Amino acid sequence: MSVTESKSELFTVCGVDVVESGAKAREAPRSESSVFEHYIQPCLAEMLGTALFVFVGCVSVVGNAGLSGCLQPALAHGLALGVLIMVFGEISGGHLNPAVTLCVALCGGMKLALLAPYVLAQLLGSMVGAALAKAVSPSANFSSAAGGAFDVVQTSGAVGAATVAEMLMTLVLTLVVCMGAVNAKTKTQLAPLCIGLVVTANILASAFVSGGCMNPARAFGPAVAAKHWEHHWVYWVGPICGALLTVSMVRLFFGDQKTRVIWK
């Protein structure tokens, strides 16, 4: 996800670059700075960006504990995400979400070799962000809000509705990401704003059904910090299924000629 074209779309896994010298091209070894910028720097950006996003999200939830409504967490998550995408978009794509990374990778927006490192960096960042939120929050408020972890699903009967809600909300989010920031035919410079707004809207819409997570990393870090694992799998299964649905739609119907696998 980037304002113009994410560097994650330009990554190559090969170990050599082609360099023109006069009329003759030759192969040159990849420099250390190139390896850093193409592989290490993006993962560091994903880790830091996810840490900051989770920190803001958790602190907003803890601060909203005991209050009615979800406007504060919705605005905090959406605004923080939009700004962080603008800041880190040209380095890593500004995914900050394993479901988004999976969707972007399968839609051709980044090399599959970077999928696992990105997800690992995001999970590490989420733990750091949740730990920082715990450190700055009053212990009583932190406990009452479960540290910003998702505790909306209280009964086994509500699990199905929460999973479907997470799937559909993530479908909307990843569709905006792919069509607004990856697909060449529809990408826009307003992608960070659109992504932040859709996250805000989704949280407002589904806060009392599933909590409006849409992001396994956002669920994982707070679960570790607060030791709250009840129904945690919902926030992996729902977002991943939503991301895969978006991949199917983009690859089959809505992608540009380069992205579609049929009807080229």
Side-chain angles (χ1 to χ4, degrees):
M1 299 183 297
S2 69
V3 178
T4 53
E5 182 179 31
S6 167
K7 286 188 178 181
S8 64
E9 296 179 55
L10 306 177
F11 287 165
T12 56
V13 184
C14 59
V16 293
D17 296 320
V18 176
V19 180
E20 291 292 336
S21 179
K24 184 179 177 180
R26 62 183 178 85
E27 288 187 344
R30 187 182 295 277
S31 67
E32 289 184 5
S33 62
S34 179
V35 171
F36 175 78
E37 289 184 359
H38 286 193
Y39 299 99
I40 300 174
Q41 190 181 58
C43 291
L44 292 175
E46 286 296 305
M47 183 170 68
L48 177 58
T50 305
L52 296 175
F53 173 66
V54 171
F55 171 75
V56 172
C58 288
V59 170
S60 71
V61 172
V62 172
N64 198 59
L67 302 177
S68 60
C70 59
L71 183 60
Q72 177 179 329
L75 289 175
H77 283 84
L79 291 172
L81 184 60
V83 171
L84 289 169
I85 291 171
M86 286 190 283
V87 170
F88 293 112
E90 291 302 316
I91 297 176
S92 68
H95 300 178
L96 317 182
N97 183 338
V100 168
T101 296
L102 175 65
C103 185
V104 171
L106 295 181
C107 286
M110 63 180 288
K111 288 292 184 181
L112 284 174
L114 285 167
L115 175 58
Y118 263 42
V119 172
L120 179 59
Q122 291 157 359
L123 295 180
L124 289 174
S126 73
M127 289 190 289
V128 172
L132 291 173
K134 183 176 183 179
V136 303
S137 300
S139 58
N141 290 12
F142 185 87
S143 298
S144 65
F150 291 90
D151 60 350
V152 176
V153 182
Q154 300 291 339
T155 64
S156 57
V159 168
T163 305
V164 172
E166 285 297 310
M167 179 182 69
L168 295 176
M169 295 299 166
T170 309
L171 168 64
V172 177
L173 170 61
T174 51
L175 192 61
V176 171
V177 170
C178 284
M179 300 304 288
V182 176
N183 190 54
K185 188 176 182 180
T186 57
K187 66 167 52 178
T188 171
Q189 293 185 358
L190 296 177
L193 174 63
C194 294
I195 294 164
L197 288 175
V198 80
V199 166
T200 298
N202 283 350
I203 293 174
L204 290 172
S206 64
F208 300 106
V209 179
S210 67
C213 179
M214 304 164 278
N215 184 339
R218 170 62 183 83
F220 180 74
V224 173
K227 298 180 176 60
H228 182 85
W229 297 100
E230 190 173 4
H231 304 304
H232 178 73
W233 62 268
V234 168
Y235 302 102
W236 285 85
V237 173
I240 289 173
C241 289
L244 293 177
L245 282 174
T246 293
V247 172
S248 300
M249 292 180 180
V250 172
R251 284 292 194 181
L252 294 177
F253 306 112
F254 301 115
D256 54 27
Q257 191 172 36
K258 178 182 176 182
T259 304
R260 288 196 314 274
V261 295
I262 59 175
W263 296 317
K264 288 184 174 291

